[in-house]
Amino acid sequence: MNNGAVKVNDAGSTDATQLTEQVLAFIRTLLEGRNITPNAVQEQMLTSHVRAMAHRSLTGEPLPEVEESLFEEISADSLEMAKAVVEQFGNLPVEEAWLLSVHFEVAKDNL
């Protein structure tokens, strides 16, 4: 993962704000490549979620239990994007991708 990914080992001195901004830049590139433009509220919710992901990545705080079946209607493309984002952190579970994929799926409806 030398494609600009931030691993928690590398992020030992990186604060959550810097990690959040790096991942949001990665997300913007993914979304632009697919012509997906979140509206202002969606952008705010996405930023808040990524900030929480950065916090969990740096602190090791676990997510509450998440049921995979709740995400069955999420498209493969949204899930693929979310997994790519989660890989940027290097230490978060797949459940993070399930939750994040909802943001991408909802933003697709803006087209």
Side-chain angles (χ1 to χ4, degrees):
M1 247 191 256
N2 54 13
N3 59 353
V6 177
K7 297 177 193 152
V8 80
N9 298 345
D10 302 334
S13 62
T14 303
D15 66 3
T17 301
Q18 185 178 353
L19 183 54
T20 299
E21 289 306 317
Q22 274 188 274
V23 173
L24 285 172
F26 179 81
I27 290 171
R28 279 186 216 97
T29 300
L30 279 178
L31 294 178
E32 287 170 7
R34 290 170 171 82
N35 294 316
I36 300 170
T37 306
N39 65 32
V41 172
Q42 292 165 346
E43 185 78 36
Q44 186 176 25
M45 292 174 71
L46 178 62
T47 299
S48 177
H49 188 162
V50 172
R51 189 176 298 121
M53 290 172 71
H55 173 78
R56 287 190 291 274
S57 176
L58 293 170
T59 65
E61 180 183 317
L63 267 178
E65 193 168 318
V66 180
E67 277 295 317
E68 183 176 8
S69 63
L70 296 173
F71 304 91
E72 289 174 349
E73 294 185 24
I74 300 295
S75 70
D77 184 53
S78 290
L79 192 54
E80 177 186 309
M81 285 190 292
K83 286 179 179 178
V85 171
V86 168
E87 286 176 10
Q88 296 301 298
F89 291 99
N91 67 334
L92 294 177
V94 69
E95 290 85 356
E96 293 277 6
W98 300 344
L99 293 169
L100 186 63
S101 68
V102 174
H103 293 280
F104 302 145
E105 196 70 15
V106 170
K108 284 180 176 182
D109 290 337
N110 296 340
L111 297 176

